[in-house]
Amino acid sequence: MATAYRFSIGPWNIGRGADPFGPPVRPAVSFDDVLKTAVQLGFEGIQFHDDDAVPDLENLPPARIEAEAKEMKKRLDDNGLVAEFVAPRLWEHEHGIDGGYTSNCATARKWAIERSKRAVDVAMALGCDLIVMWPAREGTAVRESKNPITASAQMLDAINAILGASPKARIAIEPKPNEPVDHAFVPTIGHALALGARSADPARVGVLIESAHAILAGLDPSDEMGFALAAGKLWSVHLNDQNGLKFDQDTVFGAANLRGAFDQVRVLEQAGYADTGAFVGFDVKAQRTQKAASATAHLATSKAIFLRLVEKARSFPEKQAAECIASRDYEALERTVLEHLLSA
Ligand code: GLO
Ligand code: MG
């Protein structure tokens, strides 16, 4: 019997809707309701930005931050939930507008490192050791505004500072090639793993792969996952989907490319990802104009589709596929895959 998958979500996956050109379309959802939804939908892990766990942490002394994070842990315990990771949210603060770690402003760079260390404190108090580093604004809109050589060194310094903040902390870098910046400094899994390998403690640096981010980089998410899995570095996933090279859509897993979703599930199955204890997260958002009453259906659907695809991966006609491969009949392989996906 294969190990069961563990699922997680972040509070930003249940939100107010709207696009950048319109007003909110749904009321804000309280954190208690996020926790209730997680429990109802069978999600065991909660993903946090540092200030999701401790609002206003910028204005609190370290001891208070720790105390509030401990209170949050109690709320999780009471609901039978656990914290999966904490991510320093540098990109929504005035010091982070030009990138934190790679900002051209020394004050902002110092702030980014300090804030990241506080995020490690929050994680430890929540009882989790995983820090997610999504380098949102670490890049450029005007390419000549930063030196990429300096920026790579600064990213490495940031990784080392986080590793140094606690001997228990592990980092999962979540690369994204663009948005909100035009050119991000850590755009792919290859970049993330290369940086991790040069860090002070490579064993504590891995990756989180988001399907949409790989697609935006013109890459196949299942190949990105395979590359990280081969290195034992896939420590979380943000499954979702993306209709081509547009804005980051965060649609339901499998909504744009069901076969691509199947390939992602299949590679997780092939690697025994569930046995590692790592979570399956869905970085999905409800349709921008969805009414509040069913604005969590995107989470339920993503999880249901994932589980259907696990069945499809487990019932895949491996022998038939192997024969097609052995006889170099790729047309027959194509047909085998499509017929399997379409079968009842
Ligand atoms: C945005 C990212 C974002 C991160 C989250 C955790 O494109 O996917 O949602 O996953 O902030 O750092
Ligand atoms: Mg994500």
Side-chain angles (χ1 to χ4, degrees):
M1 181 68 186
T3 313
Y5 285 90
R6 305 167 82 196
F7 299 100
S8 64
I9 48 165
W12 60 91
N13 300 128
I14 304 176
R16 305 178 71 184
D19 60 39
F21 309 103
V25 298
R26 301 183 287 270
V29 178
S30 73
F31 195 79
D32 275 334
D33 283 342
V34 170
L35 296 187
K36 263 189 222 148
T37 302
V39 173
Q40 272 164 13
L41 299 181
F43 288 84
E44 180 195 345
I46 301 293
Q47 309 168 1
F48 288 94
H49 295 127
D50 48 4
D51 56 358
D52 291 325
V54 181
D56 202 30
L57 87 173
E58 283 286 338
N59 299 315
L60 302 176
R64 202 42 214 292
I65 292 175
E66 196 184 331
E68 290 202 13
K70 281 189 173 151
E71 275 171 37
M72 176 58 81
K73 178 167 189 316
K74 192 167 177 309
R75 282 166 80 182
L76 295 179
D77 291 346
D78 292 346
N79 286 283
L81 298 165
V82 296
E84 182 198 0
F85 67 68
V86 174
R89 179 149 51 183
L90 304 183
W91 56 92
E92 283 188 11
H93 189 274
E94 58 180 317
H95 285 324
I97 56 170
D98 216 5
Y101 309 130
T102 64
S103 173
N104 288 319
C105 165
T107 312
R109 289 199 302 275
K110 193 161 172 258
W111 163 82
I113 298 282
E114 284 312 309
R115 168 94 180 230
S116 304
K117 288 182 183 166
R118 293 292 82 75
V120 175
D121 296 343
V122 171
M124 295 302 142
L126 286 175
C128 81
D129 63 359
L130 194 60
I131 305 298
V132 164
M133 182 193 257
W134 171 44
R137 294 183 183 276
E138 313 300 345
T140 57
V142 177
R143 175 60 196 82
E144 295 78 9
S145 63
K146 290 180 185 174
N147 176 337
I149 302 170
T150 311
S152 299
Q154 288 164 335
M155 289 302 300
L156 199 52
D157 287 347
I159 290 169
N160 287 337
I162 294 173
L163 293 174
S166 164
K168 285 196 200 137
R170 293 182 301 138
I171 302 174
I173 303 174
E174 181 184 353
K176 181 178 181 183
N178 60 278
E179 196 195 51
V181 292
D182 185 15
H183 298 289
F185 285 133
V186 190
T188 69
I189 292 308
H191 292 81
L193 291 183
L195 265 185
R198 291 170 57 215
S199 73
D201 191 356
R204 289 194 284 139
V205 186
V207 293
L208 179 160
I209 296 185
E210 174 161 330
S211 324
H213 297 182
I215 296 165
L216 285 170
L219 298 169
D220 181 278
S222 69
D223 275 345
E224 286 281 87
M225 288 176 187
F227 187 72
L229 286 162
K233 292 292 191 186
L234 188 60
W235 295 349
S236 187
V237 289
H238 270 175
L239 302 184
N240 58 13
D241 215 343
Q242 172 72 26
N243 192 15
L245 299 180
K246 300 178 184 174
F247 61 93
D248 184 11
Q249 297 180 318
D250 292 337
T251 57
V252 158
F253 183 50
N257 182 350
L258 201 50
R259 184 179 181 177
F262 165 73
D263 287 329
Q264 292 170 64
V265 173
R266 186 160 183 249
V267 79
L268 294 177
E269 280 281 297
Q270 285 168 332
Y273 181 83
D275 299 325
T276 67
F279 279 90
V280 170
F282 297 104
D283 204 351
V284 290
K285 298 206 175 73
Q287 297 292 333
R288 288 169 166 186
T289 54
Q290 184 68 39
K291 288 183 182 171
S294 43
T296 58
H298 59 301
L299 294 164
T301 305
S302 293
K303 187 178 161 211
I305 296 303
F306 177 87
L307 290 170
R308 289 282 299 274
L309 291 174
V310 169
E311 283 168 26
K312 282 285 174 198
R314 290 180 186 172
S315 59
F316 186 73
E318 297 291 353
K319 197 161 160 274
Q320 197 181 325
E323 283 164 11
C324 299
I325 294 164
S327 58
R328 197 155 46 86
D329 191 347
Y330 297 128
E331 294 300 346
L333 179 62
E334 189 97 298
R335 180 75 182 249
T336 301
V337 173
L338 293 175
E339 293 287 356
H340 182 62
L341 288 176
L342 288 169
S343 67

